C-alpha cells in the first residue's frame, strides 16, 4: 500500500529504479540466475510542452541503467537492455497524443523524425566511456 519512488511530472508513472534492481536480484535468487533481457524500459511524455526537450527521460533512463549495472555487478545475468520506445507511436489508450520515443515523429508535417535530447544523450552514452 505504500507508494514508492516519485511521480513523473510529464506522465502518470511513478519512477522507482530501485524496484528494477530489487526485481532483478529477486529473479536471480528465485530462479537460479537465468539470462534476463529487459526488452522495454522507458517513460512517456504525455504532458511535455516541447517533446524534443525530454530531460526527464534522460534522468529516467540513466537511473534505470545504473540500477541494471548495479544488479549486474551483484551477479545478475542481464544479457540485454532495450529502451521503450525508439519512435513516437500510436498507443491504444492514448492514440498519438503522447510523446513516447527517443525520436519525435511530427505527425503534422510529413512524419519527420527528429531526435530528442534523450536520443542524443543515449547515442553519446552508447559510444562513450559513460557506460563503464
Amino acid at each position: 500500500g505504500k507508494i514508492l519512488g516519485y511521480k513523473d511530472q510529464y506522465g502518470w508513472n511513478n519512477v522507482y529504479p530501485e524496484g528494477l534492481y530489487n526485481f532483478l536480484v529477486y529473479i536471480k535468487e528465485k530462479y537460479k540466475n537465468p539470462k534476463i533481457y529487459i526488452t522495454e524500459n522507458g517513460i512517456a511524455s504525455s504532458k511535455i510542452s516541447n517533446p524534443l526537450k525530454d530531460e526527464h527521460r534522460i534522468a529516467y533512463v540513466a537511473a534505470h541503467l545504473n540500477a541494471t549495472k548495479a544488479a549486474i555487478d551483484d551477479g545478475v545475468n542481464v544479457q540485454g537492455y532495450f529502451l521503450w520506445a525508439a519512435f513516437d507511436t500510436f498507443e491504444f489508450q492514448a492514440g498519438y497524443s503522447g510523446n513516447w520515443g527517443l525520436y519525435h515523429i511530427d505527425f503534422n508535417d510529413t512524419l519527420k523524425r527528429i531526435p530528442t535530447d534523450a536520443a542524443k544523450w543515449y547515442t553519446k552514452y552508447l559510444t562513450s566511456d559513460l557506460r563503464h
Side-chain angles (χ1 to χ4, degrees):
K2 179 182 176 189
I3 295 176
L4 302 173
Y6 65 91
K7 183 84 164 171
D8 177 63
Q9 64 181 327
Y10 297 112
W12 55 87
N13 298 317
N14 280 39
V15 178
Y16 188 60
E18 295 87 350
L20 175 59
Y21 170 84
N22 294 339
F23 185 63
L24 292 171
V25 170
Y26 173 82
I27 291 172
K28 172 191 167 197
E29 294 170 356
K30 176 84 173 172
Y31 298 103
K32 300 180 185 171
N33 205 18
K35 291 180 183 176
I36 298 172
Y37 295 87
I38 299 169
T39 58
E40 290 189 355
N41 186 253
I43 194 161
S45 304
S46 61
K47 299 176 187 172
I48 194 167
S49 61
N50 182 349
L52 302 179
K53 303 291 182 194
D54 55 351
E55 287 81 15
H56 74 289
R57 185 174 285 123
I58 295 169
Y60 179 95
V61 171
H64 285 80
L65 284 170
N66 287 336
T68 302
K69 173 73 166 74
I72 291 168
D73 290 346
D74 288 342
V76 177
N77 192 9
V78 176
Q79 296 291 305
Y81 176 94
F82 302 91
L83 286 179
W84 170 84
F87 299 95
D88 288 344
T89 61
F90 178 83
E91 291 294 324
F92 290 108
Q93 293 181 342
Y96 294 110
S97 64
N99 301 292
W100 312 91
L102 294 176
Y103 285 81
H104 173 64
I105 306 298
D106 188 341
F107 293 108
N108 299 315
D109 187 10
T110 65
L111 301 177
K112 279 193 269 188
R113 284 127 175 107
I114 307 162
T116 66
D117 286 349
K120 294 171 188 173
W121 176 87
Y122 194 56
T123 299
K124 190 174 184 178
Y125 173 85
L126 291 175
T127 59
S128 73
D129 289 333
L130 290 173
R131 64 187 196 286
H132 298 290

